[in-house]
Amino acid sequence: AADLFGWPADELVGRRITVLIPEDMRDRHIAAFTSLLLTGESRTLGRPVRMSALHRDGRLIQISLLVQTQEARDGRSVFIARINPVQDGEHGVW
């Protein structure tokens, strides 16, 4: 993911995920994530979604994002994301 988004891995680790979300989509992301935590319901969890993401240099790149939950060894639920680049004109495999 660090290579895809143009970050050295050690600089990306520990940052908020919003560093990869285009500014005009951040409020929507925060609202949807808050709703998920409060209600347990999501329209995108477990479904691949094509979207724009923010490269470190400021340009937008197209990705396919699949977020799922997984139980950690200590019993907590964590979010796991699979991110794949999508080339212009590519529809992706859903």
Side-chain angles (χ1 to χ4, degrees):
D3 289 340
L4 177 63
F5 295 110
W7 289 85
D10 62 335
E11 288 185 34
L12 192 56
V13 172
R15 288 187 179 259
R16 292 184 177 263
I17 194 69
T18 53
V19 73
L20 305 176
I21 299 172
E23 191 171 337
D24 64 334
M25 297 294 294
R26 289 179 187 162
D27 287 343
R28 185 175 174 186
H29 166 78
I30 292 168
F33 187 66
T34 300
S35 176
L36 170 64
L37 294 177
L38 293 174
T39 68
E41 297 178 16
S42 170
R43 294 185 347 203
T44 58
L45 196 61
R47 289 185 29 222
V49 178
R50 183 176 171 167
M51 61 185 298
S52 295
L54 189 60
H55 191 275
R56 185 176 186 193
D57 66 12
R59 66 188 157 96
L60 296 179
I61 56 175
Q62 294 299 305
I63 62 167
S64 171
L65 173 68
L66 174 65
V67 179
Q68 297 176 299
T69 58
Q70 182 175 324
E71 187 173 320
R73 290 183 180 159
D74 63 5
R76 294 178 302 130
S77 290
V78 296
F79 295 96
I80 305 296
R82 181 183 325 170
I83 302 167
N84 293 308
V86 177
Q87 301 300 321
D88 289 335
E90 183 179 336
H91 297 287
V93 177
W94 311 118

